[in-house]
Amino acid sequence: MGKGSNVQKAQAARERNQKKMGKSDEERKAAAQKAAKDSTAFMCSVCRQTFMVNVKLTLLHGHAVAKHPDKTPATCFTALVGFDPNAPAGAAAAAPAAVVKPKKKKKEEVDLSSLLDAGLSVGKKKGKK
Ligand SMILES: [Zn+2]
């Protein structure tokens, strides 16, 4: 919601700073260099394919296994040294899925209708007597 305005504010502040400091070209160059560095943060040392800085290790591991089955994953990416594909960091991320929402509401509804049924049958019996 407020993200858009924050971005606008940040951009406005950046523009102000650039005017003040008069280093926009240098800053832009540095930002471009950082972006280029980030986009090639991981490079396969076997086939030179590059990966973004925020790539998941499981993806790098998958590349190594799929493209270079004759090499060890750590040979392709130094980041994979000590990486265990059977216990990736993603295991922790999968935990929230185990949280089950309580189904109290539905149970109450069922209880209510069964109570109603019981009441109705009791009422009928009473009426019969
Ligand atoms: Zn590769």
Side-chain angles (χ1 to χ4, degrees):
M1 268 199 297
K3 212 176 180 184
S5 64
N6 276 345
V7 169
Q8 277 182 341
K9 260 186 221 167
Q11 203 169 351
R14 215 178 299 140
E15 278 171 10
R16 257 203 314 275
N17 283 340
Q18 280 178 359
K19 273 179 195 165
K20 233 190 261 174
M21 297 167 80
K23 274 202 238 177
S24 59
D25 277 355
E26 213 169 284
E27 278 175 1
R28 227 177 289 151
K29 219 187 256 175
Q33 273 175 351
K34 189 188 181 294
K37 206 179 164 193
D38 281 357
S39 70
T40 60
F42 296 97
M43 187 171 71
C44 176
S45 54
V46 178
C47 70
R48 302 270 158 199
Q49 187 175 332
T50 52
F51 293 86
M52 289 285 287
V53 67
N54 59 351
V55 72
K56 293 210 165 55
L57 285 182
T58 47
L59 196 127
L60 295 181
H61 186 266
H63 167 94
V65 170
K67 304 264 178 150
H68 318 294
D70 54 325
K71 305 270 196 296
T72 65
T75 305
C76 298
F77 302 100
T78 51
L80 288 177
V81 174
F83 173 75
D84 183 1
N86 295 317
V99 177
V100 181
K101 273 189 180 178
K103 289 177 182 173
K104 214 174 180 182
K105 243 183 186 173
K106 205 171 182 182
K107 208 179 175 189
E108 270 171 12
E109 273 171 23
V110 169
D111 284 348
L112 200 70
S113 62
S114 65
L115 274 174
L116 209 64
D117 283 348
L120 280 175
S121 58
V122 167
K124 266 182 196 168
K125 271 179 195 168
K126 265 186 187 169
K128 228 179 180 181
K129 264 184 185 173

